[in-house]
Amino acid sequence: MADDRDRDGTEVAVAEFHKKIKEAFEVFDHESNNTVDVREVGTIIRSLGCCPSEGELHDLIAEVEEEEPTGYIRFEKFLPVMTEVLLERRYRPIPEDILLRAFEVLDPAKRGFLSKDELIKYMTEEGEPFSQEEMEEMLSAAIDPESNSIHYKDYITMMVIDEN
Amino acid sequence: MNTPNLEDMGCGTSSATKDKKSEKALKAALVIQNWYRGYSARLKTRQRYALTIFQSIEYADEQGQLQLSNFFSFMLENYTNVPEKEPGLVTRLFGSSIQDKDRQDYLGLIEIPDSYCGPRLQFPLTFTDIDLLIEAFKQQQILHAYYVLEVLFETKKVLQQMPNFTHTNTSPSKEITICGDLHGKLDDLFLIFYKNGLPSVTNPYVFNGDFVDRGKNSMEILMILFVSFLVYPNDLHLNRGNHEDFMMNMRYGFTKEILHKYKLHGKKILQILEEVYTWLPIGTIIDNEVLVIHGGISESTDLNLLHRIERNKMRSVLMPPIPMDGDRAEKKNKLGTATVALGIRTSGSFSEQLTKQEWEQVIDILWSDPRGKRGCYPNTNRGGGCYFGPDITSKILNKYQLKMLVRSHECKPEGYEICHDGKVITVFSASNYYEEGSNRGAYIRMSSGTTPRFFQYQITKATCFRPLYQRVNAIESSAIRMLKERMISRKTDLIRAFQLQDRNKSGKLSMGQWAFSMENVLGLNLPWRSLSSHLVTTDKDGNIDYMSGFQDVHIQKPVKEVQSSLIETVYRYRSDLQIIFNIIDSDHSGLISMEEFRSMWKLFKSHYSVHIDDSQFDELAERMDLNKDGSIDFNEFLKAFYVVHKFDQLNKSDTKLA
């Protein structure tokens, strides 16, 4: 019956999600005691294919933190919350074309690039601003040192290839 | 998402269009930031995965030590069955201090040619010799064996006067610097000295073991450290690490480095070095508060006992004490008569061992790792020492009125790590340990009453000024390669495990089934699901084609006619075989006789439960007797077993053998 199949499907899916989440969690569980530093939770969640905004991430962390925050997140609290996120397919990643359009919005003159200063301005002043470290990290790969600008189409292509 | 307050825009043009424009820009920025943060997180995760792979494999290799150690015990217990043509082997394992090594015997025969333009040390050594060595090594010069031996003899002499634990004190004006594993990475030592100053009376150092193996300048590091020690014996403190062990050196590269750099006198150097290691102190205690040891502790760690033992009897982790209790009297006699027959002096040979308890205490100090889980458990990853929890740390520190434990032994991405509530610090000083970009190195500066300060660094060669994603790519490829080589070395076992689960013989398994087999057979606790995309092909239903994991890698067959399973076995055990061969080859000629080769293989086969036809092995041995003179150059033999990666177009991929 369709219902049974759906139920089984979800059970198996849940079991697989659990294993996947456990694997991702364990890699950051340095002391092997089923906890991770709260500062690494964002990385773990994103490594599982989700792309929450910073605001959404804060909300998630609040859900998995202890009542009295200890600086550590326990696996027992993380697992059910993360499973729901994966089951509901929340925080889907940005498709390539949307990303390209975002850059184009910031480049209304359609030059095909953004200057380093422009990029810095947008990334550190708008939206959910980058920290200095994040900014430097992005610049190191994105900026073409000769023109001091980011040719965003090439950049996106490069990043996409790298991930695949 | 809140739109920014536009009232402060203060421009006269139509605010509606301005609003819309800003809102669009805001949204665009958010998209880019969101995407970037996701990408950045995935990069960091890939880096972490690569490190996890490197580390798991490293520890699994160390676990192999235990098996090898058991093999030696097995050999000794059965040695009456070992043909009498093996006196070399037995000698090596029983105790090699048959003759007292006389300094003159060694140095007297060595002449330094006039053409030698390397550094010349002047005894008694002074700080100018330290500078001299550093400058010379920066220009890649090699210190002449004569000086190496002189330094080793002198070092042994001075170390013999030192107690098992060095006690030292600091003051606000005299901080001490603690460095962790260096593993032959000379550039890291240079960087530390550059940033932190050379050792001196006002700038004391503790080097916490593992100076050698893996990196290519173990000798140079050792010479700099020993010379510095001889110049400042009260301010340059050396602790023994688990790699200050002649048998570990055979597997992990230092022996090879020595024999390569010192073709004429390498053997002598190895012999003296073996002894010098045993005289290295077990640990350092600072201000009666901070215990600095290489590995860790166990619940039974007894510092009083450790202060008392004769530390120089601890020869190697692979040579546990031979049981000598009463009801083994028969064995004892057997051992006694046979050793006499083989012409080995045995007077007092069994008192040249530590007791089992003492030996285990030392192993715990050199091999243990801290973990978050409470209690004390055997360190199954490494095969020696234990995992100790925060409760163990508290218990032992309190027992001896200590405040902190500083240890090394584990590579950490940031070069150091604090755990057990701030009571345990790990410091690791070899940056880029696994691969360029894999980790930072660090050292600690501390003095009594102040918080320890950490200094991090990373050696960057020109290529390292690459953006993060390129560096991550590099270490990721490297880690995956190593993993694939692991897989290929266990191919037969893996296929058997896969086929057991593949009832329909479809060639496919679910992700869960595949991950389960991989973990079980390889014994590596890795995030298999996340790594699967690098290792195998998955179909659209999420099922894994398990044979695809072996597609682009294979072990080069040095001899076509020999079965793959034999090739695989030799490849898999090549490090162990390297050690065994090195031990048989007591004159370090690099050659062993066919006879020795065959009888060693027989013993090895039975202990490791390897099911290979003897005739196969004979065939291989015959064909590998490259010189056709009845002897085998075992380095050449082992080198012939390497893994070929299909997509390596430019170079042959040869795996590092040690």
Side-chain angles (χ1 to χ4, degrees):
Chain A
M1 277 203 301
D3 277 344
D4 280 347
R5 239 189 297 132
D6 280 345
R7 256 207 303 277
D8 285 343
T10 320
E11 263 180 48
V12 165
V14 166
E16 265 305 302
F17 279 151
H18 278 181
K19 296 219 182 89
K20 206 165 170 209
I21 294 168
K22 185 163 195 285
E23 271 188 1
F25 193 89
E26 275 179 354
V27 168
F28 290 89
D29 176 11
H30 307 309
E31 291 195 36
S32 308
N33 61 354
N34 292 325
T35 66
V36 298
D37 191 316
V38 65
R39 291 165 294 183
E40 306 208 272
V41 167
T43 310
I44 299 174
I45 295 175
R46 287 173 171 135
S47 79
L48 288 162
C50 303
C51 287
S53 68
E54 290 290 279
E56 288 162 335
L57 185 60
H58 281 135
D59 293 340
L60 268 175
I61 291 180
E63 268 188 76
V64 298
E65 253 181 341
E66 303 297 316
E67 306 226 325
E68 304 234 353
T70 59
Y72 288 98
I73 303 297
R74 286 186 301 122
F75 182 65
E76 297 85 57
K77 286 204 107 179
F78 183 75
L79 182 64
V81 173
M82 198 62 221
T83 310
E84 275 297 299
V85 168
L86 289 180
L87 277 173
E88 292 173 13
R89 298 172 62 76
R90 270 193 256 161
Y91 316 126
R92 296 275 83 210
I94 315 273
E96 202 181 316
D97 53 332
I98 305 280
L99 183 59
L100 179 59
R101 260 196 275 156
F103 275 105
E104 286 172 346
V105 163
L106 301 180
D107 174 27
K110 306 258 175 282
R111 300 160 295 174
F113 65 85
L114 291 175
S115 78
K116 179 172 164 185
D117 289 337
E118 282 170 339
L119 184 67
I120 293 177
K121 171 163 160 276
Y122 283 121
M123 294 294 104
T124 59
E125 292 177 20
E126 299 277 3
E128 291 176 326
F130 274 174
S131 66
Q132 196 187 1
E133 206 185 314
E134 283 174 317
M135 193 68 248
E136 278 170 14
E137 213 180 270
M138 183 180 186
L139 287 173
S140 76
I143 293 289
D144 164 30
E146 277 178 35
S147 60
N148 230 16
S149 61
I150 164 175
H151 293 264
Y152 46 83
K153 200 143 188 237
D154 294 337
Y155 173 62
I156 294 173
T157 313
M158 192 166 67
M159 296 294 109
V160 166
I161 290 178
D162 176 54
E163 291 230 281
N164 299 333
Chain B
M1 264 180 341
N2 299 320
T3 46
N5 189 330
L6 298 169
E7 281 169 341
D8 313 65
M9 297 276 293
C11 41
T13 49
S14 157
S15 51
T17 7
K18 259 286 188 289
D19 284 356
K20 214 163 177 211
K21 266 195 183 164
S22 321
E23 196 178 313
K24 278 184 91 178
L26 169 76
K27 284 189 177 157
L30 276 169
V31 163
I32 297 172
Q33 287 158 345
N34 183 307
W35 165 82
Y36 185 77
R37 286 182 167 121
Y39 169 75
S40 176
R42 288 189 294 275
L43 258 189
K44 298 205 166 77
T45 307
R46 282 162 64 195
Q47 188 177 35
R48 265 252 135 225
Y49 283 174
L51 281 179
T52 305
I53 293 175
F54 285 131
Q55 209 158 48
S56 299
I57 292 182
E58 179 184 18
Y59 296 167
D61 275 347
E62 290 183 348
Q63 201 189 88
Q65 304 287 32
L66 187 64
Q67 212 182 8
L68 193 58
S69 170
N70 289 339
F71 176 55
F72 289 147
S73 306
F74 164 79
M75 272 190 342
L76 285 174
E77 286 179 15
N78 294 292
Y79 83 95
T80 43
N81 300 328
V82 168
E84 270 157 317
K85 291 185 191 128
E86 311 285 12
L89 179 59
V90 185
T91 317
R92 292 293 267 154
L93 293 171
F94 258 119
S96 60
S97 25
I98 292 169
Q99 307 108 352
D100 275 322
K101 294 177 176 77
D102 188 79
R103 188 175 180 142
Q104 262 317 103
D105 282 348
Y106 281 80
L107 290 171
L109 302 171
I110 305 183
E111 277 197 24
I112 306 174
D114 290 332
S115 58
Y116 171 70
C117 52
R120 290 171 189 263
L121 301 174
Q122 291 234 352
F123 285 79
L125 298 169
T126 63
F127 66 88
T128 39
D129 294 290
I130 304 178
D131 280 329
L132 190 67
L133 273 188
I134 291 178
E135 284 316 303
F137 291 155
K138 278 191 175 151
Q139 292 165 48
Q140 273 118 37
Q141 289 172 5
I142 294 188
L143 183 66
H144 195 277
Y146 182 87
Y147 295 117
V148 172
L149 287 165
E150 270 212 297
V151 169
L152 290 176
F153 274 112
E154 268 308 300
T155 303
K156 176 179 154 190
K157 199 169 97 184
V158 178
L159 284 176
Q160 276 173 318
Q161 312 301 322
M162 302 210 141
N164 292 348
F165 283 86
T166 310
H167 287 256
T168 188
N169 292 314
T170 61
S171 67
S173 55
K174 188 177 166 182
E175 279 185 319
I176 195 165
T177 305
I178 307 178
C179 298
D181 298 29
L182 284 167
H183 281 301
K185 314 287 246 64
L186 189 56
D187 285 339
D188 286 277
L189 185 59
F190 286 157
L191 188 57
I192 294 171
F193 283 162
Y194 175 72
K195 280 172 73 111
N196 197 53
L198 288 176
S200 72
V201 171
T202 48
N203 196 18
Y205 276 85
V206 179
F207 284 92
N208 200 14
D210 279 10
F211 322 125
V212 300
D213 275 336
R214 298 185 186 273
K216 56 186 178 65
N217 292 104
S218 299
M219 180 50 90
E220 286 71 38
I221 291 210
L222 210 57
M223 284 298 108
I224 293 177
L225 291 181
F226 282 170
V227 166
S228 305
F229 167 71
L230 290 170
V231 177
Y232 301 111
N234 298 319
D235 297 291
L236 189 312
H237 310 291
L238 300 169
N239 290 342
R240 192 176 184 184
N242 61 311
H243 279 261
E244 275 71 56
D245 177 326
F246 77 103
M247 290 214 178
M248 291 291 278
N249 294 165
M250 285 185 204
R251 185 198 283 264
Y252 289 102
F254 190 26
T255 305
K256 203 163 156 192
E257 183 188 319
I258 293 177
L259 293 175
H260 178 72
K261 285 179 177 162
Y262 297 97
K263 294 185 166 61
L264 210 48
H265 304 293
K267 171 190 153 199
K268 292 182 191 170
I269 294 176
L270 285 170
Q271 282 178 330
I272 308 299
L273 189 56
E274 197 180 309
E275 279 191 59
V276 176
Y277 283 155
T278 64
W279 285 107
L280 286 166
I282 297 169
T284 301
I285 299 178
I286 304 173
D287 297 325
N288 279 322
E289 286 182 339
V290 180
L291 176 63
V292 188
I293 46 178
H294 178 73
I297 51 179
S298 77
E299 61 191 346
S300 51
T301 291
D302 181 345
L303 285 185
N304 295 324
L305 180 146
L306 285 165
H307 268 81
R308 281 194 321 257
I309 63 169
E310 293 177 74
R311 71 180 187 271
N312 65 306
K313 290 182 179 173
M314 171 58 173
R315 294 185 60 225
S316 168
V317 67
L318 290 180
M319 296 170 59
I322 307 163
M324 286 307 313
D325 40 26
D327 37 73
R328 302 228 194 185
E330 199 192 280
K331 210 162 228 176
K332 182 180 176 176
N333 288 334
K334 256 201 199 170
L335 288 169
T337 36
T339 47
V340 166
L342 291 169
I344 299 166
R345 222 176 57 195
T346 56
S347 58
S349 67
F350 294 113
S351 73
E352 278 172 19
Q353 312 186 108
L354 293 172
T355 66
K356 184 160 188 285
Q357 185 201 21
E358 291 170 341
W359 191 83
E360 276 171 4
Q361 288 269 332
V362 180
I363 294 286
D364 284 341
I365 298 287
L366 299 180
W367 285 79
S368 300
D369 292 314
R371 285 293 180 268
K373 195 164 155 194
R374 296 170 65 84
C376 189
Y377 307 89
N379 191 327
T380 44
N381 259 347
R382 297 196 197 251
C386 70
Y387 291 129
F388 62 98
D391 51 330
I392 305 291
T393 299
S394 297
K395 175 176 152 207
I396 301 290
L397 289 181
N398 288 339
K399 186 169 168 193
Y400 299 103
Q401 284 127 38
L402 297 165
K403 293 221 179 101
M404 198 192 303
L405 173 64
V406 175
R407 44 86 64 176
S408 303
H409 196 43
E410 283 182 292
C411 176
K412 297 292 176 191
E414 292 301 313
Y416 74 95
E417 193 172 272
I418 308 178
C419 65
H420 292 192
D421 255 337
K423 298 209 182 94
V424 175
I425 300 179
T426 302
V427 61
F428 193 86
S429 302
S431 68
N432 303 332
Y433 177 58
Y434 292 117
E435 183 61 69
E436 218 168 87
S438 65
N439 64 290
R440 290 167 140 164
Y443 58 86
I444 310 174
R445 283 186 71 92
M446 59 164 72
S447 69
S448 166
T450 63
T451 343
R453 292 183 295 144
F454 299 91
F455 296 83
Q456 297 164 295
Y457 53 85
Q458 194 160 12
I459 294 289
T460 41
K461 294 193 255 198
T463 44
C464 249
F465 289 112
R466 299 178 286 174
L468 183 62
Y469 81 95
Q470 279 185 14
R471 285 181 275 145
V472 171
N473 266 335
I475 69 172
E476 186 181 56
S477 319
S478 186
I480 297 295
R481 267 168 91 97
M482 277 186 77
L483 198 46
K484 283 194 159 165
E485 284 170 10
R486 264 295 130 133
M487 283 167 66
I488 203 82
S489 78
R490 306 295 304 268
K491 183 174 170 182
T492 310
D493 290 338
L494 278 170
I495 293 181
R496 200 179 308 135
F498 292 148
Q499 285 174 340
L500 263 170
Q501 295 190 84
D502 180 16
R503 304 287 170 78
N504 318 336
K505 307 214 183 300
S506 60
K508 303 232 171 127
L509 289 176
S510 72
M511 178 68 82
Q513 288 173 315
W514 177 79
F516 177 78
S517 300
M518 291 292 279
E519 178 139 341
N520 261 343
V521 173
L522 296 180
L524 297 172
N525 180 11
L526 293 175
W528 294 110
R529 285 162 184 77
S530 311
L531 295 173
S532 59
S533 57
H534 294 288
L535 301 171
V536 284
T537 46
T538 316
D539 68 18
K540 53 179 167 53
D541 297 321
N543 292 321
I544 294 187
D545 171 0
Y546 53 83
M547 290 304 288
S548 62
F550 306 109
Q551 251 169 354
D552 40 322
V553 197
H554 68 269
I555 304 174
Q556 186 66 7
K557 265 195 187 181
V559 172
K560 266 199 299 249
E561 293 77 5
V562 174
Q563 271 174 12
S564 303
S565 50
L566 173 57
I567 305 289
E568 201 179 295
T569 305
V570 176
Y571 177 77
R572 176 175 163 193
Y573 289 110
R574 67 201 187 289
S575 302
D576 294 334
L577 289 171
Q578 179 128 45
I579 297 186
I580 296 169
F581 289 152
N582 265 306
I583 293 177
I584 299 175
D585 176 29
S586 49
D587 63 356
H588 295 291
S589 60
L591 300 172
I592 54 174
S593 74
M594 286 293 291
E595 193 70 40
E596 289 171 322
F597 191 58
R598 274 203 190 88
S599 51
M600 181 43 54
W601 175 255
K602 283 206 172 67
L603 276 175
F604 185 87
K605 221 185 88 161
S606 80
H607 182 74
Y608 281 80
S609 301
V610 165
H611 304 294
I612 305 265
D613 214 18
D614 278 348
S615 62
Q616 279 281 301
F617 189 80
D618 285 341
E619 174 102 21
L620 181 66
E622 285 290 333
R623 289 177 189 274
M624 297 300 293
D625 178 8
L626 305 164
N627 304 330
K628 297 282 177 257
D629 61 352
S631 67
I632 294 203
D633 179 334
F634 57 84
N635 283 316
E636 289 306 312
F637 173 76
L638 290 172
K639 258 199 237 167
F641 294 84
Y642 60 90
V643 171
V644 177
H645 293 261
K646 189 161 122 184
F647 299 108
D648 273 359
Q649 285 137 340
L650 298 171
N651 339 299
K652 254 200 303 224
S653 137
D654 53 335
T655 54
K656 293 194 268 278
L657 286 175

